């Protein structure tokens, strides 16, 4: 359902692997209702009235029966007067009881008929007042058919038959396995997660490992994470060993590194782990400090392809490199520690802030490792798969499904089109302003250092304002066309005698004064295109190249023709299969 990882769209060209786990047979499960399927949209007024202070989540994982039992103690502070707590929890996980401030509630004081859990307060809570609720629940969490495209649990086993379990709920949201506020801005300040598993298994989690408690034949792992994305809370269970190391940051702090891998994969794991410091160096050099250096840089091997779970990124790419000298899936998911976990989209309509920047980090990392050829090779691959059917940003609140829907929403363009747009922006404003604008977006300040910033929210307009501030220019015309128009701008080129005339054409006639470089012979000319037009004298017979250094994201007939040809090839293959 959710084409969650943009790198999968490049699987033919760049050779990604499939999932590594062996699925466990499962019985049919109740369908998810619309409320649970949706994540985001307009936040209900009742949820906007409270601030989420703390979540203490206790899980016992029963892999043979594909079941979890949970107890969630949640703490809130009222931002305005409220008489209700409104949470989200899949109704297919039955609630056995709820306490409010230590008192057990009568069943009539709460209801969860549609996956939206409503807890009535005995009296209104004034602004600044605090409330605590404990929710006891359990059952069979929704099973993902093909994680991470659709959300849920993955119940699998390793080659030697041991349980291998993972959650991946970015699409449908946190309410698939814990009571939460299923909104981008529903992050708790602090989350303590307790996961109880058989002693033969381990349970790596988000944040810092506070401790492991011995409970007879079981261990309980206690993890603590600050400001995690709601969908970034994860459960991972398996026969894991762990590689550990420390990274000496250029910012003076030491960052713990951990890779929890399936036993028997040690040789491959060590090779992959050896690349962690190099990735950290790239991001800290180009963007800024690793946001969770006081917790860890963590990765866990999973039976599904991957997901950006804060400080414990899911990785299931079979240790496959991509011809560019690194594991693109691992690098993409790690990019989300900055673009997603440190700076979080204010609304799903702003999800390009996660995915466009996260995607642009692959060509940028290729440039960092190997130079311009690999950088442009990446951009070329992305350019060939742009769809341009819907704007990247609609300007109104959206659910996750509406954004990732390939037919009604921008879908993969929030990855690929946005990434190539960022390349054009970088060429337009220069590296200094480009990277300063990113630092301001991510950290909220130009001089980030460990301890002087916290995770933050941002919108599309926030980033546009940042770019305008950094450059001292009004560049809303740039974003108006690339983000709010579906079609790419077209550069009309007319050559009449020795006069070359260029004219920008946009989908809705918006102004687009994008400068254009033209090579004539050995000379490079920069046309300012102040009113969307420019002219240049080109002697007859001269070498002429428009945009010789590929700075511009624009409509190109030869790419359109190639995409049409690829579509015909797919349709022919589908037709042959249908007749066989």
């Amino acid at each position: 359902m959710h084409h969650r990882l943009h790198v999968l769209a490049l699987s033919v060209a760049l050779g990604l692997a499939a999932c590594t786990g062996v699925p466990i047979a499962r019985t049919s499960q109740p369908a998810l209702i619309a409320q649970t399927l949706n994540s985001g949209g307009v936040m209900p007024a009742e949820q906007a009235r409270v601030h989420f202070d703390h979540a203490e989540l206790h899980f016992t994982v029963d892999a043979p029966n594909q079941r979890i039992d949970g107890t969630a103690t949640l703490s809130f502070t009222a931002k305005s007067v409220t008489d209700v707590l409104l949470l989200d929890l899949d109704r297919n996980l039955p609630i056995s009881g709820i306490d409010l401030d230590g008192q057990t509630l009568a069943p009539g004081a709460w209801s969860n008929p549609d996956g939206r859990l409503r807890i009535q307060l005995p009296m209104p809570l004034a602004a600044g007042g605090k409330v605590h609720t404990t929710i006891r629940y359990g059952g069979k969490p929704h099973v993902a058919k093909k994680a991470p495209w659709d959300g849920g649990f993955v119940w699998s086993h390793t080659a030697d038959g041991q349980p291998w379990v993972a959650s991946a709920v970015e699409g449908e949201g946190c309410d698939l396995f814990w009571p939460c506020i299923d909104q981008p801005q529903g992050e708790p300040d602090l989350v303590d997660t307790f996961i109880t598993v058989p002693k033969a298994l381990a349970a790596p989690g988000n944040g810092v490992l506070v401790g492991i408690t011995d409970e007879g034949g079981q261990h309980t792992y206690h993890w603590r994470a600050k400001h995690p994305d709601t969908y970034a809370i994860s459960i991972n269970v398996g026969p894991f060993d762990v590689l550990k190391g420390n990274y000496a940051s250029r910012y003076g702090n030491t960052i713990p590194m951990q890779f929890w891998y399936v036993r028997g994969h040690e040789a491959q794991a060590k090779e992959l782990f050896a690349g962690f410091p190099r990735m950290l160096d790239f991001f800290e050099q180009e963007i800024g400090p690793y946001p969770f250096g006081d917790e860890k840089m963590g990765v866990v091997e999973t039976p599904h392809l991957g997901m950006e779970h804060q400080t414990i990124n899911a990785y299931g790419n079979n240790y496959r490199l991509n011809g560019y000298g690194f594991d693109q899936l691992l690098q993409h998911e790690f990019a989300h520690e900055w673009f997603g976990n440190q700076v979080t989209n204010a609304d799903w309509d702003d999800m390009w802030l996660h995915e466009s920047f996260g995607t642009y980090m692959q060509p940028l990392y290729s440039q960092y490792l190997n130079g311009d050829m690999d950088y442009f090779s990446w951009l070329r691959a992305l350019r060939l798969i742009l769809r341009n059917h819907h704007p990247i940003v609609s300007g109104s609140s959206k659910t996750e499904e509406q954004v990732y829907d390939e037919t009604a929403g921008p879908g993969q363009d929030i990855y690929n089109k946005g990434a190539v747009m960022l390349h054009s922006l970088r060429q337009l404003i220069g590296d200094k302003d480009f990277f300063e604008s990113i630092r301001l977006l991510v950290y909220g300040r130009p001089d980030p250092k460990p301890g002087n910033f916290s995770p933050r929210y941002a919108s599309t307009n926030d980033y546009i304002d940042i770019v305008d501030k950094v450059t001292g220019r009004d560049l809303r015309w740039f974003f108006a066309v690339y983000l709010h128009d579906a079609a790419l701008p077209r550069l009309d080129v007319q050559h009449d005698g020795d006069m070359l005339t260029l004219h920008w054409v946009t989908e809705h006639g918006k102004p687009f004064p994008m400068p254009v470089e033209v090579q004539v012979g050995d000379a490079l000319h920069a046309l300012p295109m102040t009113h969307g037009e420019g002219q240049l004298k080109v002697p007859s017979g001269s070498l002429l190249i428009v945009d010789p250094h590929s700075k511009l994201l624009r409509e190109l007939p030869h790419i359109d023709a190639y995409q049409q040809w690829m579509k015909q090839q797919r349709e022919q293959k589908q037709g042959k299969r249908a007749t066989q």
Side-chain angles (χ1 to χ4, degrees), residues 396-419:
S396 61
S397 185
K398 296 295 181 185
T399 65
E400 188 272 353
E401 174 67 19
Q402 290 171 327
V403 173
Y404 281 93
D405 190 325
E406 289 287 356
T407 56
Q412 286 290 289
D413 278 352
I414 66 172
Y415 297 82
N416 308 320
K417 182 177 180 179

Side-chain angles (χ1 to χ4, degrees), residues 43-96:
M43 181 182 282
E46 298 94 330
Q47 293 184 340
R49 293 175 196 154
V50 297
H51 177 80
F52 202 160
D53 299 322
H54 183 223
E56 182 179 309
L57 308 175
H58 294 256
F59 299 103
T60 299
V61 179
D62 180 357
N65 294 304
Q66 300 182 22
R67 176 187 174 91
I68 63 170
D69 287 291
T71 300
T73 298
L74 314 176
S75 303
F76 302 91
T77 299
K79 294 190 289 186
S80 60
V81 177
T82 186
D83 61 355
V84 67
L85 282 179
L86 190 65
L87 304 173
D88 298 291
L89 179 65
D90 182 6
R91 66 173 184 174
N92 295 319
L93 295 174
I95 296 172
S96 59

Side-chain angles (χ1 to χ4, degrees), residues 82-332:
T82 186
D83 61 355
V84 67
L85 282 179
L86 190 65
L87 304 173
D88 298 291
L89 179 65
D90 182 6
R91 66 173 184 174
N92 295 319
L93 295 174
I95 296 172
S96 59
I98 295 179
D99 297 345
L100 192 69
D101 291 331
Q103 300 296 315
T104 300
L105 294 179
W110 56 270
S111 62
N112 190 32
D114 59 356
R116 180 149 275 169
L117 173 58
R118 190 177 188 89
I119 303 173
Q120 192 65 43
L121 303 182
M123 60 183 64
L125 186 68
K130 296 183 180 296
V131 63
H132 312 271
T133 184
T134 297
I135 302 162
R136 296 174 292 278
Y137 64 100
K140 293 178 176 288
H142 186 73
V143 178
K145 295 178 181 178
K146 192 179 181 183
W149 290 269
D150 64 325
F153 269 60
V154 180
W155 303 97
S156 184
H157 58 75
T158 57
D160 60 356
Q162 297 188 72
W164 192 8
V165 182
S167 65
V169 300
E170 185 271 344
E172 289 76 2
C174 48
D175 53 335
L176 285 188
F177 73 102
W178 64 281
C180 61
I181 295 177
D182 187 16
Q183 294 279 341
Q185 297 195 51
E187 295 180 5
D189 290 340
L190 185 69
V191 175
D192 283 280
T193 306
F194 299 79
I195 307 171
T196 301
V197 297
K199 279 188 175 179
L201 306 176
N206 305 89
V208 173
L209 180 60
V210 178
I212 303 174
T213 305
D214 191 328
E215 301 178 2
Q218 296 180 314
H219 279 157
T220 295
Y221 286 72
H222 176 193
W223 296 89
R224 177 171 293 158
K226 291 177 290 187
H227 301 286
D229 265 5
T230 53
Y231 68 77
I233 297 295
S234 68
I235 290 180
N236 301 280
V237 176
F240 298 118
D241 283 332
V242 59
L243 293 170
K244 295 183 178 181
N246 290 311
Y247 173 75
S249 168
R250 64 180 55 240
Y251 291 93
N253 58 319
T254 299
I255 301 171
M257 300 181 298
Q258 298 178 10
F259 181 26
W260 298 74
Y261 64 93
V262 171
R263 293 181 196 129
H265 296 172
E266 183 176 5
Q268 308 99 300
K270 284 183 175 179
E271 185 175 350
L272 190 70
F273 186 66
F276 284 20
R278 185 172 56 180
M279 285 198 301
L280 272 165
D281 180 70
F282 161 75
F283 280 105
E284 290 211 320
Q285 181 172 290
E286 296 289 346
I287 310 302
Y290 176 59
F292 310 102
D294 58 346
E295 296 183 6
K296 69 177 182 299
M297 174 195 175
V299 178
V300 59
E301 191 173 357
T302 55
H304 65 87
L305 199 57
M307 181 60 64
E308 69 268 19
H309 296 143
Q310 189 166 309
T311 72
I312 191 68
N313 281 304
Y315 171 79
N317 196 29
N318 287 342
Y319 302 95
R320 183 175 297 190
L321 300 182
N322 63 356
Y324 289 82
F326 65 100
D327 189 307
Q328 67 196 56
L329 177 64
L330 179 66
Q331 204 268 356
H332 178 84

